[in-house]
């Protein structure tokens, strides 16, 4: 991995985190406004984001980012430590910082460096520090439970790629001219030395004279340290120095030689080895410094070690106003849960067994309130279990949170834990506590294996970044596989054969390909939440600036859409929401005068409707002024002079014309009429459409309707002449062979189908596409009635071939946009069929004026006026 | 079919094996009517037999539609029609040469695929300046091979001509 690669990863991750921070701050602000207090969980999570960013930027020597994030951390810290409300000014300052960081990140992405921002950084740091009230400035909040061996705190509540190179776990050194050969030889020799040391320590446990063996191990580690020093690998050197020191004390007798202690040393040697192996693979020097924390478990007395650990931690646990918590379990669990809980601000004590637990409880009972016991139960027969029942039966027992490493599922363990946690009289949210414990538990369960397994030494990520092209070709191949499957299992050669076994096997194959297809399709899908959450910030900014009160509600943000939709939808959404805030929602006094609540309400909603995703922006503002839009449009020649007969949505569509604006005053966010045509353009790229519904005085809804690009649709396959077309089943209302008397003509030759009480225009596909059809008379062919947005169109085809599930594929960019075609699909026989774009066909050919006209003249009595 | 390497050109790996260097000066030749044409081998990704195409509306005559090439939908162009030559019914010898330019794959329908030949740069002269007919601008040069002459086509221009660009825009 190159440095550049690190930086790109850093920028990506940092952006993700900044995006997470924004909605969190807004939420925080709302809450602070309501309760006058700041939610600690929220501020903690924001704090951690900055902290992690700081760590990574420090590692990458992006000093300006480090400074800003550090100061932001300090600034936020005051809200963690004190109960002060978050004011609007505070929020603004944080936003300003976030924007600034975005700016630097953009620069870093391009230049791999953040130099040049010094003065801007100075300014922002000054501003932040002035706002950091009377707080003492702590460089870093370190959890009290951690002993000083590892001098940095651990971000236990936070797992991400950041930890791959956060300053806590990896130390990097200036690079030194080392040839590959030297490096390899060093690695090889180091490997041998470590192996020898390990062997010696292992022999020590069986040996008559363990000291001799320990001494030998000491010598090997010493040589290793020397080599590291010579090579300039300072992190490895320091790490081995720590081990050497312990071994030395063992030889001298100040640290007793014990099996447990040896075990810890062996683990640490493994860490050294993994550092070494990454070097020999040509990587940078890196070592997991956090592992040194294990050294604190080294017992220095002859008494059983767990007690010692407990004593040590009870000394280091700082008194907390929130009360104390006792963690009982094996050392990794003690460590992990302890760290997590102390981050919550609790005073953490640890114990290894029931004896010690009793002692701790007694010790604490006089002085402090013991809030809860967090206990790890290895099994039901664990001695702690019996002990717990006695504790539980006594009156003054604190609530107990139990973790079962053996539980069949995390859920089982959590369910048991929740029961107890609900009774927990902690000033912290029990859910929050649980989450922390859960994270701690996760850590505890991964800790031992990490130590053993070199390959697994990096943080476990649950996601990977994959090149989009690879995904696309995967989806293509799967689509192809589905077709190939159909070609085999429905091969004409098999017709009439009774093949029981083949049938069974092909059924199995069909099921497998179907599920493979589902998965492949879902891979490209991303929830809209990130895009939606960005809007929170936007609304916040606008409402502050224009002194409006607006609440943005997000609905269905978990709705998943294809990645390219996400990219193209962000801009249009910004414009629409800006418009809703600026033109839609009125000022508070105006709202009150209109009998509305003073806070405007905007709902941003996403959902699946038929084969489309609908993104709806709905406000309760003043609504569109039809008269005004009409007047403007007529003046610009966009609408005919007499447009009163037009449907509302025809008129409203004018707002998407370039340069169209009815705003009397142009504000700096909207009113110039440039925004909405971007909406139209981007939607056209997605082959989507936009519906506007508005009631004057009551509000406006904009519905962005986007077809699912990578979806499987049910389609009806029809034939016109020698061409096949696929019509999405969802938009088909019915299909019929009309009677002669159902068809009539308008004066300008348009064919009309009269179906029951409805008047439906007919579209001859072959005429539209200038091809030949086999059938000329409507009553000899088939009319497929399609419907979109309450308008209908009858499509004339020769025959219906059948229905089938099809995978939608885009047409090659080579074609631009063919009229009325939304994409294509591959049929079972390998041929390509075009998919009709029902929406655009209806838009273009279901002429509303015409229909209105007919309604008004001929069937005025039958048809209700619209 | 005469293939001078003795290997099957329908074998996909045939072209993949060649790296940039060995592809230099190599041209795939095919016949349209009486003339022989060449196209730089680096643009050619495979050769397939003629297969049924699916019409795409609103396209000029020479765009025959789309085909399904192992799950990828690609447009096909009849090169004869592209050069305003008369349409010739497709036979078993009609082939589709799949070329890839600017990451877009397009099939070229040709009368018959001939062979892969080596034409050193020195044997290629600039196209004649006489501006006789539209089609001459798709010509990259004239290659001399022994006594015969191969017309070397410019894949880029053939695929992305103003005409097509306009077409794409007008449909926007």
């Amino acid at each position: 991995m190159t440095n550049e690669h690190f930086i790109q990863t850093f920028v990506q991750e940092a952006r993700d985190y900044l995006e997470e921070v924004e909605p969190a701050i807004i939420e925080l602000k709302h809450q602070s406004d309501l309760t006058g207090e700041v939610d600690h969980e929220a501020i903690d999570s924001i704090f951690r984001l900055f902290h992690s960013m700081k760590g990574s930027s420090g590692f990458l020597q992006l000093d300006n980012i480090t400074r800003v994030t550090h100061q932001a951390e300090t600034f936020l810290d005051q809200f963690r430590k004190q109960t002060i409300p978050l004011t609007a000014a505070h929020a603004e300052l944080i936003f300003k910082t976030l924007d600034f960081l975005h700016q630097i990140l953009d620069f870093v992405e391009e230049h791999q460096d953040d130099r040049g921002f010094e003065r801007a950084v100075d300014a922002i740091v000054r501003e932040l520090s002035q706002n950091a009230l009377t707080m003492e400035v702590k460089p870093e909040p370190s959890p009290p439970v951690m002993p000083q061996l590892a001098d940095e705190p651990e971000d236990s509540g936070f797992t991400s790629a950041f930890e791959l190179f956060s300053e806590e776990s990896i130390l990097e050194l200036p690079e030194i001219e080392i040839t590959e050969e030297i490096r390899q030889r060093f690695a090889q020799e180091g490997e041998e030395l470590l192996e020898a040391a390990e062997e010696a320590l292992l022999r020590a446990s069986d040996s008559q004279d363990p000291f001799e063996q320990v001494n030998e191990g000491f010598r090997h580690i010493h040589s290793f340290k020397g080599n590291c020093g010579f090579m300039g690998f300072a992190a490895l050197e320091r790490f081995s120095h720590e081990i050497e020191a312990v071994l030395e004390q063992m030889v001298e007798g100040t640290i007793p030689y014990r099996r447990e202690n040896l075990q810890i040393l062996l683990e640490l040697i493994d860490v050294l080895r993994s550092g070494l192996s990454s070097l020999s693979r040509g990587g940078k020097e890196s070592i997991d410094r956090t592992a040194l924390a294990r050294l604190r478990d080294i017992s220095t007395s002859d008494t059983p070690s767990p007690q010692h650990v407990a004593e040590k931690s009870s000394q280091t646990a700082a008194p907390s106003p929130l009360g104390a918590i006792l963690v009982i379990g094996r050392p990794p669990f003690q460590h992990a849960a302890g760290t997590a809980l102390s981050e919550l601000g609790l005073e953490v004590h640890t114990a290894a067994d029931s004896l010690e637990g009793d002692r701790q409880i007694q010790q604490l009972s006089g002085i402090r309130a013991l809030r809860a016991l967090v206990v790890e139960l290895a099994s039901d027969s664990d001695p702690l279990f019996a002990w717990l029942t006695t504790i539980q039966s006594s009156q003054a027992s604190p609530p107990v949170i139990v973790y079962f490493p053996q539980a069949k599922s995390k859920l089982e363990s959590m369910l048991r834990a929740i029961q107890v946690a609900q009774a927990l009289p902690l000033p912290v949210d029990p859910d929050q506590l649980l989450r922390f414990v859960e994270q701690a538990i996760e850590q505890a369960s991964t800790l031992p294996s990490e130590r053993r397994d070199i390959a697994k030494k990096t943080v476990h990520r649950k996601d990977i970044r994959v090149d989009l092209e690879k995904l696309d070709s995967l989806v293509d191949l799967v689509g192809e596989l589905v077709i190939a499957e159909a070609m085999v299992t429905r091969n004409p050669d098999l017709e009439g054969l009774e093949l029981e076994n083949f049938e069974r096997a092909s059924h199995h194959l069909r099921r497998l390909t179907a599920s493979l297809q589902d998965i492949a399709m879902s891979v490209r899908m991303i929830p809209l939440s990130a895009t939606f959450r960005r809007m929170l910030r936007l609304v916040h900014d606008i409402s502050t600036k224009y002194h409006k009160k607006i609440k943005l509600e997000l609905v269905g943000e978990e709705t998943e859409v294809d990645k390219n939709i996400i990219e193209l939808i962000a801009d249009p959404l910004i414009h629409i929401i800006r418009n809703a805030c600026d033109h839609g929602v009125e000022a508070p006094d105006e709202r009150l005068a209109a009998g509305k609540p003073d806070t405007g309400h905007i709902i941003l909603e996403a959902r699946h409707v038929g084969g489309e995703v609908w993104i709806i922006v709905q406000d309760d503002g003043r609504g569109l002024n039809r008269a005004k839009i009409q007047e403007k449009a007529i003046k610009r020649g966009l609408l005919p002079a007499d447009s009163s007969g037009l449907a509302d949505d025809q008129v409203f569509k004018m707002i998407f014309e370039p340069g169209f604006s009815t705003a009397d005053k142009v504000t700096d966010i909207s009113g110039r009429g440039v925004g909405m045509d971007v909406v139209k353009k981007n939607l056209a790229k997605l082959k989507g459409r936009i519906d506007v519904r508005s009631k004057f005085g009551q509000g406006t809804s904009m519905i962005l309707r986007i077809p699912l690009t990578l979806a499987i649709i049910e389609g009806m396959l029809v034939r016109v002449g020698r061409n096949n077309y696929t019509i999405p089943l969802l938009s088909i209302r019915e299909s019929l062979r009309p009677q002669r008397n159902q068809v009539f003509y308008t004066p300008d030759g348009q064919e009309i189908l009269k179906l029951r009480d409805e008047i439906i225009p007919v579209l001859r596909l072959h005429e539209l596409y200038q091809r030949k059809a086999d059938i000329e008379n409507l009553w000899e062919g088939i009319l497929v009635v399609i419907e979109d947005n309450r308008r209908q169109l009858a499509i004339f085809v020769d025959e219906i071939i059948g229905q089938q599930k099809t995978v939608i594929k885009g047409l090659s960019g080579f074609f631009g946009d063919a009229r009325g075609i939304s994409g294509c699909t591959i049929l079972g026989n390998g041929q390509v069929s075009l998919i009709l774009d029902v929406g655009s066909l209806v838009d273009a050919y279901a002429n509303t004026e015409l229909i209105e006209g007919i309604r008004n003249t001929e069937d005025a009595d039958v048809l209700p006026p619209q | 079919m005469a293939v001078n390497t003795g290997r099957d050109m329908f074998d996909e790996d045939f072209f993949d094996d060649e790296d940039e260097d060995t592809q230099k000066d190599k041209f795939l030749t095919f016949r349209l009517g009486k003339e022989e044409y060449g196209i730089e081998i680096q643009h050619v990704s495979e050769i397939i037999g003629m297969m049924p195409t699916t019409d795409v509306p609103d396209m000029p005559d020479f765009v025959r539609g789309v085909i399904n090439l192992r799950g990828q939908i690609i447009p096909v162009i009849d090169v004869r029609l592209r050069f305003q030559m008369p349409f010739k019914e497709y036979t078993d010898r009609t082939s589709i040469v799949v070329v890839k330019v600017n990451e877009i794959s397009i099939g070229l329908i040709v009368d018959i695929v001939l062979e892969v030949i080596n034409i050193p740069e020195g044997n290629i002269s600039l196209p004649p300046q006489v501006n006789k007919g539209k089609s001459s601008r798709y010509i990259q040069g004239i290659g001399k091979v022994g006594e015969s002459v191969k017309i070397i086509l410019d894949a880029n221009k053939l695929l992305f001509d103003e005409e097509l660009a306009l077409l794409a825009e007008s449909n926007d």
Side-chain angles (χ1 to χ4, degrees), chain A residues 149-185:
Chain A
L149 275 169
D151 43 352
E152 299 94 347
E154 237 181 342
D155 274 342
S156 58
F158 200 73
T159 36
S160 79
F162 260 126
E163 294 189 356
L164 276 173
F165 45 78
S166 69
E167 63 180 357
E168 279 90 308
S169 45
I170 299 177
L171 295 172
E172 197 216 10
L173 290 159
E175 273 163 79
I176 289 171
E177 269 297 317
I178 294 169
T179 66
E180 194 51 38
E181 202 195 343
I182 300 179
R183 187 199 275 265
Q184 286 306 337
R185 201 183 299 163

Side-chain angles (χ1 to χ4, degrees), chain A residues 375-442:
Chain A
V375 184
E376 178 191 39
L377 279 188
S379 68
D380 282 353
S381 56
D382 193 308
L384 278 171
F385 191 79
W387 175 70
L388 270 182
T389 46
T390 62
I391 290 275
Q392 284 287 63
S393 58
S394 76
Q395 281 284 308
S397 120
V400 179
I401 298 173
V402 184
Y403 163 54
F404 301 90
Q406 304 299 327
K408 287 204 183 60
S409 65
K410 197 190 277 168
L411 186 69
E412 184 190 332
S413 165
M414 290 304 287
L415 281 178
R416 295 201 204 181
I418 283 168
Q419 289 171 350
V420 231
Q422 275 167 349
L424 202 68
L426 279 171
V428 289
D429 184 1
D431 290 340
Q432 177 195 2
L433 183 71
L434 271 173
R435 217 169 306 135
F436 270 78
V437 174
E438 187 191 5
Q439 276 164 353
I441 284 161
E442 249 171 21

Side-chain angles (χ1 to χ4, degrees), chain B residues 3-19:
Chain B
V3 177
N4 64 351
T5 56
R7 281 180 64 184
D8 183 5
M9 271 198 299
F10 288 88
D11 179 1
E12 258 182 79
D13 292 338
F14 174 72
F15 295 106
D16 294 345
D17 282 351
E18 318 261 332
D19 59 16

Side-chain angles (χ1 to χ4, degrees), chain A residues 313-326:
Chain A
S313 43
S314 59
Q315 282 155 13
T316 46
S320 155
L322 292 181
I325 232 169
L326 179 59

Side-chain angles (χ1 to χ4, degrees), chain B residues 39-75:
Chain B
I39 192 160
E40 278 180 82
I41 201 100
Q42 57 161 338
H43 295 306
V44 180
S45 48
E46 65 186 291
I47 300 160
I48 50 178
M50 189 60 203
M51 57 164 78
T53 58
T54 299
D55 265 9
V56 177
D58 301 338
M59 293 293 143
D61 271 357
F62 62 83
V63 177
R64 299 301 290 174
V66 288
I67 54 165
N68 162 26
L69 181 67
R70 290 188 307 280
Q72 204 193 351
I73 311 247
I74 65 164

